[in-house]
């Protein structure tokens, strides 16, 4: 899929960004940048889990999983949120015990500006292609990357304030405050992810009546079909559609197969979030 190719490109950029942040953070004893690099690595891991979930989530429904494998999106995001929470603990540990003193110079500034530009490119790629392909996966990835871009802007602010340390009280450690703020942000994001996806797993399937009515109207255009029942299930950001149809008994099997293919193509073209359509004849 085209969206997967874009995700792979941005995933590689995220890895480069995270590596630059971590290397610069360690070299210049910049604890806020080290904490930010952990979040960037999290962005990279999220891209990987999204690709895997996107692959497995499209598997056809069967007797064991009558509504398909859409819940794999919730499980992947739940694991990501749990890992992010553990990273928050690490960042908080760093806040209390990291004793390094930031070294401000032109090389650190170049590193921060470089990752800002690269992260801006990642956000633009995901947003533009997400809208073009109507891909919820890329749109969600764009939101995460934008959050990482904002956190890097905070790193730049901490860097600037450090340059002004002669004008700030000696009792204030701007780098420490930045690291603490980063840990709070990571905790907030992780708890939000965990609670949302636990709810998604426990609630199981969420039927969408609005999309259901729209699809019933769209299917009226197929004269040889009669809709006996339709169920539209939201699984994470995507929808699975389960149709029970009655067909004109006078049409041939070959013509029916052509119509079935046309129905699936047509419904997916009307709503790009529809990823799976199961048709049963009655």
């Amino acid at each position: 899929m085209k969206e997967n190719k874009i995700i792979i490109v941005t995933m590689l950029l995220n890895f480069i960004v995270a590596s630059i942040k971590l290397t610069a953070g360690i070299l210049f004893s910049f604890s806020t940048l080290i904490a930010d690099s952990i979040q960037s690595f999290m962005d990279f891991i999220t891209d990987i889990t999204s690709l895997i979930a996107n692959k497995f989530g499209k598997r056809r429904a069967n007797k064991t999983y009558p509504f398909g494998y859409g819940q794999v999106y919730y499980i992947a995001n739940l694991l990501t949120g749990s890992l992010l929470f553990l990273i928050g603990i690490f960042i908080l540990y760093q806040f209390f015990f990291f004793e390094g003193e930031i070294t401000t110079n032109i090389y650190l500034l170049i590193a921060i500006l470089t990752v800002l530009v690269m992260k801006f490119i990642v956000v633009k790629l995901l947003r533009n292609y997400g809208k073009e392909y109507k891909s919820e996966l890329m749109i969600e990835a764009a939101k995460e990357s934008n959050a990482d871009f904002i956190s890097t802007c905070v790193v730049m602010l901490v860097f600037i304030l450090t340059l002004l340390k002669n004008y700030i009280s000696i009792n204030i450690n701007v780098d420490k405050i930045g690291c603490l703020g980063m840990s709070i942000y990571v905790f907030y994001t992780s708890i939000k992810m965990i609670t949302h996806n636990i709810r998604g797993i426990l609630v199981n399937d969420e039927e969408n009546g609005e999309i259901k009515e729209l699809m019933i109207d769209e299917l009226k255009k197929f004269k040889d079909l009669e809709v006996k029942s339709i169920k539209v299930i939201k699984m994470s950001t995507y929808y699975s559609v389960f149709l029970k149809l009655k067909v004109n008994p006078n049409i041939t099997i070959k013509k029916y197969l052509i119509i079935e293919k046309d129905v699936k193509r047509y419904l997916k073209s009307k709503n790009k979030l529809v990823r799976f359509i199961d048709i049963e004849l009655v």
Side-chain angles (χ1 to χ4, degrees):
M1 290 180 63
K2 293 181 179 179
E3 61 178 320
N4 285 350
K5 292 180 181 179
I6 301 298
I7 289 289
I8 290 172
V9 171
T10 57
M11 181 177 69
L12 293 175
L13 288 174
N14 279 332
F15 181 78
I16 295 172
V17 165
S19 300
I20 293 175
K21 286 181 180 180
L22 182 61
T23 302
I26 293 173
L27 286 177
F28 300 107
S29 298
F30 196 173
S31 63
T32 305
L33 187 57
I34 294 174
D36 191 36
S37 73
I38 302 300
Q39 183 174 324
S40 295
F41 275 116
M42 195 68 241
D43 232 9
F44 169 71
I45 293 172
T46 300
D47 288 340
I48 295 176
T49 57
S50 295
L51 285 173
I52 295 173
N54 203 34
K55 180 179 180 179
F56 284 95
K58 294 192 183 79
R59 287 186 174 184
R60 292 182 64 87
N62 52 45
K63 291 182 179 180
T64 306
Y65 298 98
F67 294 110
Y69 290 78
Q71 279 201 337
V72 72
Y73 295 106
Y74 292 121
I75 295 172
N77 289 332
L78 179 60
L79 291 174
T80 302
S82 301
L83 181 59
L84 193 59
F85 186 84
L86 295 176
I87 289 172
I89 295 176
F90 169 78
I91 296 174
L92 196 61
Y93 174 86
Q94 180 177 286
F95 165 73
F96 285 110
F97 299 103
F98 186 77
E99 298 297 338
E101 185 174 346
I102 181 174
T103 304
T104 54
N105 56 45
I106 187 64
Y107 300 108
L108 178 56
L109 176 61
I110 292 172
I112 297 173
L113 289 174
T114 300
V115 295
L116 274 173
V117 171
M118 292 181 69
K119 202 64 193 183
F120 180 78
I121 292 172
V122 169
V123 174
K124 279 294 183 182
L125 281 173
L126 290 171
R127 278 183 177 171
N128 293 341
Y129 283 103
K131 291 178 181 179
E132 181 180 341
Y133 300 142
K134 293 182 172 59
S135 168
E136 192 68 21
L137 177 67
M138 294 173 67
I139 291 171
E140 288 299 314
K143 291 178 182 178
E144 293 176 10
S145 292
N146 188 58
D148 190 28
F149 175 77
I150 292 173
S151 68
T152 307
C153 290
V154 173
V155 170
M156 175 61 82
L157 177 62
V158 172
F159 175 82
I160 294 172
L161 290 175
T162 303
L163 293 177
L164 301 174
K165 62 183 179 181
N166 293 333
Y167 305 97
I168 301 175
S169 171
I170 195 171
N171 296 321
I172 297 176
N173 189 321
V174 179
D175 190 18
K176 284 275 189 179
I177 293 174
C179 188
L180 177 62
M182 201 70 69
S183 68
I184 293 172
Y185 175 75
V186 168
F187 278 129
Y188 169 77
T189 304
S190 64
I191 291 172
K192 187 177 179 180
M193 285 184 67
I194 290 170
T195 53
H196 171 75
N197 289 287
I198 286 178
R199 179 184 177 278
I201 293 173
L202 294 179
V203 171
N204 198 7
D205 311 307
E206 178 185 340
E207 187 164 7
N208 192 300
E210 182 180 351
I211 294 180
K212 176 180 175 179
E213 293 300 322
L214 290 174
M215 287 192 171
I216 290 175
D217 290 337
E218 297 294 344
L219 289 170
K220 290 178 181 178
K221 298 177 181 180
F222 293 87
K223 302 301 182 183
D224 291 314
L225 299 177
E226 179 185 350
V227 179
K228 304 303 289 185
S229 72
I230 179 170
K231 185 182 287 289
V232 181
I233 303 297
K234 183 179 181 185
M235 304 296 288
S236 185
T237 54
Y238 298 110
Y239 294 100
S240 293
V241 180
F242 302 87
L243 294 169
K244 287 187 178 181
L245 302 176
K246 183 178 179 180
V247 299
N248 185 340
N250 296 323
I251 67 172
T252 63
I253 294 177
K254 182 178 180 180
K255 185 176 180 181
Y256 164 72
L257 292 175
I258 293 173
I259 293 174
E260 181 182 291
K261 187 176 181 180
D262 289 342
V263 167
K264 291 182 178 181
R265 185 187 298 115
Y266 181 72
L267 291 179
K268 287 182 179 180
S269 69
K270 289 297 179 180
N271 191 324
K272 296 297 184 181
L273 298 183
V274 173
R275 289 306 178 88
F276 172 75
I277 299 175
D278 182 72
I279 298 177
E280 178 183 348
L281 296 180
V282 295

